[in-house]
Amino acid sequence: MLDNRRTEAGIRFDALAELFDPVTFRHVDRLGIGPGMRCWEVGAGGPSVPLGLAERVGPGGEVLATDIDVSWTRGVAGGVIEVARHDVAADPPPPGGFDLVHARLVLVHVTDRAEALRRMVRALRPGGRLLLEDADPALQPLLCLDESGPEQRLANRLRSGFRTLMAARGADLAYGRTLPRLLREAGLEDVRADAYFPITSPACATLEAATVRQIRGLLVAEGLATDEEIDRHLANVATGRLDLATAPMISAWGRRP
């Protein structure tokens, strides 16, 4: 549904990086990822996380960035960064073992999440860390927490339509909250988790506009919104007066014994 080949994908990746890279790298740094280590970035999407990992592992380390579509990451290949096409739920884990395996906003979209998780755990070296970060739209379903007027009510109705489209395509809208349990069940130790979501930010508005433009045809085709409503919502977003939130991103991490 959110095809990487669309122009809006690059806009979405930049907005997601602005919103969530500080959170991701706070966890990466807390886990002690540093010089000489080997990292696997699963479902890399945009280039920001592979580049940040490369800074931390230095010239003696390695960063493997994989995705089913590497359109937006192939430009950063070189040096310590390798970019490869890979389906985490279908292809064997890359060989060699990793000190860190990380996936952000990936597994909620993968049909066979359990198998993808098993393969990521299998790719860890002894003592290696798995950091999974995924959304939980069911935990906080609103785009506008302060539903104070018709603009906010329209925004929330379109967000509901987006959730309907996601669920119809196999997304688990309550997946994020299950991550701590799933990591423990996978045999990882020292499992911890936290959650973060912005309530208002220019990047939230950028992300919303790009997402709505990308799924516009589906919203209309499935009777979830009209073209007029979508135009009105995009105009409302462009004013900068809506406080737009995201679904909570739950980060969970654990260590392979």
Side-chain angles (χ1 to χ4, degrees), residues 41-54:
E41 177 63 16
V42 180
S48 66
V49 174
L51 288 170
L53 292 174

Side-chain angles (χ1 to χ4, degrees), residues 164-176:
T164 298
L165 292 174
M166 289 180 64
R169 284 153 181 79
D172 181 351
L173 302 183
Y175 185 67

Side-chain angles (χ1 to χ4, degrees), residues 16 20 25 36 39 58-59 76 80 82 89 117 175 202 213 225 227 231:
L16 289 169
F20 295 123
F25 285 111
C39 304
V76 300
V80 302
E82 177 186 355
L117 177 57
Y175 185 67
R213 288 190 176 99
D227 277 314
D231 286 338

Side-chain angles (χ1 to χ4, degrees), residues 169-235:
R169 284 153 181 79
D172 181 351
L173 302 183
Y175 185 67
R177 71 191 72 180
T178 70
L179 290 176
R181 171 176 56 82
L182 295 176
L183 265 58
R184 285 194 302 272
E185 291 175 352
L188 300 186
E189 298 179 345
D190 301 327
V191 173
R192 301 185 186 188
D194 63 18
Y196 168 80
F197 73 102
I199 293 174
T200 188
S201 162
C204 288
T206 300
L207 177 63
E208 172 64 9
T211 301
V212 169
R213 288 190 176 99
Q214 190 161 357
I215 65 170
R216 177 180 191 134
L218 289 171
L219 288 169
V220 173
E222 301 197 21
L224 298 168
T226 66
D227 277 314
E228 186 276 331
E229 288 171 331
I230 292 171
D231 286 338
R232 183 152 37 99
H233 174 60
L234 290 172

Side-chain angles (χ1 to χ4, degrees), residues 36-87:
M37 291 187 172
R38 189 165 188 253
C39 304
W40 178 19
E41 177 63 16
V42 180
S48 66
V49 174
L51 288 170
L53 292 174
E55 291 178 5
R56 286 158 173 79
V57 303
E62 297 177 42
V63 175
L64 174 62
T66 65
D67 205 327
I68 57 173
D69 182 341
V70 297
S71 303
W72 299 95
T73 48
R74 63 165 60 98
V76 300
V80 302
I81 299 177
E82 177 186 355
V83 175
R85 189 187 182 284
H86 182 272
D87 184 336

